[in-house]
Amino acid sequence: MLISRPYLGRWFDTYGALPVIIPCMILFALGFVGLSLSTTATLFLISAGVIGIGYGSLLPFMLSVVVERSPPSHRSGHATATFFTLYDSGIALGSFLLGIIVAHTGFVNLFFLLAGFVIMVTFLFLLLFKKQPKVS
């Protein structure tokens, strides 16, 4: 992520959110598929690196989109606080739910499910991103 983040940040500033966020989401999903298929330490580490690039880049880009699309009077405070409240809640609830799911499905199936979930979220993001106009 330390190598990819500066380049992706420039691309985000130059080309906008979609051309950067969508590939990051796809990398995130592909990393989960790689984890589910990994049988060696090498493939496991490569998959972890792909997930790191995808997921690690998403947080600052999504925060930028949220702040950019919120009313100017709410930009720094309300939008950022809401974003991180929902982000932290998702981490907490997701950890709990995934712990229950992995007990019934195993890690291989869990990672496949997570790849599908990321793809579903990507389509939802596309749908909502196009509906919500930028606020200036």
Side-chain angles (χ1 to χ4, degrees), residues 92-108:
L93 183 63
S95 299
F96 176 75
L97 293 175
L98 293 177
I100 293 170
I101 292 170
V102 76
H104 297 289
T105 65
F107 283 102
V108 171

Side-chain angles (χ1 to χ4, degrees), residues 119-134:
I119 296 299
M120 181 185 71
V121 168
T122 303
F123 285 116
L124 287 172
F125 173 77
L126 280 169
L127 180 72
L128 293 173
F129 186 84
K130 291 182 180 193
K131 274 186 164 183
Q132 179 67 32
K134 252 192 215 182

Side-chain angles (χ1 to χ4, degrees), residues 21-122:
I21 289 177
I22 299 305
C24 287
M25 295 287 272
I26 292 169
L27 280 175
F28 191 24
L30 288 175
F32 279 127
V33 171
L35 272 182
S36 67
L37 299 174
S38 68
T39 55
T40 65
T42 303
L43 184 55
F44 179 82
L45 292 173
I46 290 169
S47 299
V50 170
I51 288 173
I53 292 168
Y55 177 72
S57 300
L58 285 173
L59 179 69
F61 296 149
M62 292 292 196
L63 180 59
S64 293
V65 168
V66 166
V67 170
E68 176 182 275
R69 289 172 179 259
S70 65
S73 62
H74 293 83
R75 282 200 175 177
S76 61
H78 295 230
T80 304
T82 302
F83 177 83
F84 279 111
T85 298
L86 294 172
Y87 174 80
D88 290 339
S89 299
I91 294 286
L93 183 63
S95 299
F96 176 75
L97 293 175
L98 293 177
I100 293 170
I101 292 170
V102 76
H104 297 289
T105 65
F107 283 102
V108 171
N109 293 327
L110 176 71
F111 293 141
F112 269 124
L113 286 171
L114 288 173
F117 181 75
V118 170
I119 296 299
M120 181 185 71
V121 168
T122 303

